Amino acid sequence: MKLKLMRETGKIRLALFRAPARIAALVICLAAVPVLSGCSLALEDVSTGKDRLAGVFVTRNYIEPGLPSLEVNSRGEIVAKDTGPEKIYGCCSSSAESPSVVIFPGLEGYGIYNLQISEEETQEPARYGTCDFPFSNLHFNVSDEEESMEADLCVPTAVSARYYFNPVYQQEDGQIYLLAGSGVSTDSFVDGQKLGHSISESVSRTENGEQSSQTMRFTINIVAAVPPRETELFLMNQENRPLACLSDEQLETLSETGEPLVLPADVSYLVLRQSMPGDQPDIHSLFDRSHSSLEYLTPAEDGYLGYCSVALEWP
């Protein structure tokens, strides 16, 4: 496998946005973010004024820079003037069915965000940490020195791909934009492979003659896994006999609507069977009354993998 890096020209709230079919329920943990090997990018050389780093938007295609402006100098010559990094403005999605929290016109991708939004009742700014499909395992951590978010982006094995990590900023007036970022590429992923990429920015402040620094950090882990071909859930009784079987489509419908799987009184436990490609053995997972939900990996849209999560309601 060949891996290369590419660089081409107030209050804190946690909020989850409901996603459509084939989208996992996200798990949020208020825990320390582990340090992973991978790539990191500091944005100290990018001039963004008072705009705050507010997220990372992942694309599979490099975002081409804007054209330079043309000016006439004092000698009457036409010269090209570099206008700096092009800001691509986005807007928050107004549709509950949209898989993206923020939409950047003309760009396909997904992001994780720490947005500052004013509450309707008090008009006070509140911070909302969230992410798009198909991210999972979202972690949010706050300390005096650093605020960080980390999430996994699951992809299938045995494929070549490129992923670009574009920093997202939020202006004081609330507008959101992104800048073209760097990326990673690989000839093929192997099962269990993880590539970590971090983007961070530090802001210095002086209060009462004392200087302090606050860092905002976003980490995205590209995680490779073998996608199953088919998934079935068997409802088993005490005699270890199946009473019913639910298909992957039925489970995804429950996951999409958020409705629990109401189990009959004679169901003793559940067996989730996933058939794997090639000569790999099937995967069997057991769920009993100690489990309040079941979750499994499934192929999703746009070539990603997602987690299907279904709540269990035992009699």
Side-chain angles (χ1 to χ4, degrees):
M1 184 194 69
K2 184 188 300 181
L3 172 67
K4 60 182 179 180
L5 292 176
M6 301 174 294
R7 184 175 180 87
E8 298 172 281
T9 17
K11 287 183 291 184
I12 298 174
R13 291 272 179 91
L14 298 181
L16 289 182
F17 287 70
R18 183 68 188 164
R22 295 184 176 273
I23 298 179
L26 302 177
V27 180
I28 291 187
C29 303
L30 289 177
V33 178
V35 178
L36 299 173
S37 61
C39 314
S40 63
L41 174 65
L43 300 175
E44 297 174 356
D45 58 337
V46 178
S47 177
T48 56
K50 296 183 179 180
D51 304 343
R52 53 178 292 271
L53 180 64
V56 181
F57 188 75
V58 181
T59 59
R60 288 188 168 181
N61 297 313
Y62 175 64
I63 300 175
E64 296 291 341
L67 296 176
S69 62
L70 300 180
E71 295 183 356
V72 179
N73 62 18
S74 58
R75 296 189 298 271
E77 302 169 330
I78 298 178
V79 295
K81 181 179 180 181
D82 186 9
T83 57
E86 181 184 14
K87 297 180 180 180
I88 301 177
Y89 283 88
C91 59
C92 292
S93 173
S94 59
S95 172
E97 298 300 322
S98 174
S100 299
V101 176
V102 181
I103 298 175
F104 296 97
L107 297 181
E108 295 182 0
Y110 304 99
I112 64 175
Y113 310 98
N114 184 348
L115 303 176
Q116 185 164 297
I117 302 175
S118 297
E119 293 187 328
E120 293 183 2
E121 296 181 359
T122 63
Q123 296 300 313
E124 294 182 358
R127 298 278 276 277
Y128 287 80
T130 187
C131 62
D132 292 335
F133 149 82
F135 289 98
S136 60
N137 298 326
L138 176 64
H139 298 264
F140 192 84
N141 185 57
V142 179
S143 68
D144 292 338
E145 296 79 23
E146 183 174 287
E147 206 170 316
S148 63
M149 292 182 66
E150 181 177 0
D152 294 341
L153 183 62
C154 294
V155 299
T157 58
V159 296
S160 60
R162 297 183 178 186
Y163 300 94
Y164 294 90
F165 306 89
N166 309 288
V168 176
Y169 285 87
Q170 187 171 26
Q171 300 177 171
E172 288 186 304
D173 61 2
Q175 292 192 78
I176 302 167
Y177 67 87
L178 65 76
L179 303 176
S182 61
V184 296
S185 71
T186 181
D187 293 337
S188 64
F189 285 104
V190 296
D191 188 24
Q193 180 183 357
K194 179 183 291 188
L195 302 177
H197 189 97
S198 295
I199 293 179
S200 64
E201 184 177 63
S202 297
V203 178
S204 298
R205 296 183 177 87
T206 301
E207 295 182 4
N208 300 324
E210 296 185 1
Q211 189 173 21
S212 62
S213 178
Q214 179 75 20
T215 299
M216 187 69 223
R217 184 182 308 276
F218 295 90
T219 301
I220 293 177
N221 304 310
I222 305 294
V223 181
V226 178
R229 293 186 307 174
E230 185 182 24
T231 300
E232 294 177 306
L233 181 67
F234 295 93
L235 281 59
M236 311 293 292
N237 64 10
Q238 289 184 341
E239 288 74 32
N240 301 320
R241 295 180 180 177
L243 301 174
C245 177
L246 297 181
S247 66
D248 195 5
E249 290 76 14
Q250 291 173 301
L251 294 173
E252 288 175 0
T253 299
L254 291 173
S255 178
E256 177 184 1
T257 60
E259 297 180 2
L261 174 58
V262 181
L263 300 168
D266 52 351
V267 173
S268 178
Y269 64 96
L270 310 174
V271 174
L272 185 74
R273 183 188 71 84
Q274 291 188 288
S275 61
M276 306 303 290
D279 56 356
Q280 299 185 61
D282 293 350
I283 297 177
H284 294 83
S285 303
L286 186 146
F287 299 85
D288 56 22
R289 293 177 181 271
S290 66
H291 295 86
S292 60
S293 65
L294 62 86
E295 188 177 69
Y296 62 92
L297 197 65
T298 182
E301 300 173 359
D302 299 337
Y304 292 102
L305 302 178
Y307 282 91
C308 181
S309 181
V310 178
L312 302 176
E313 187 173 305
W314 297 89

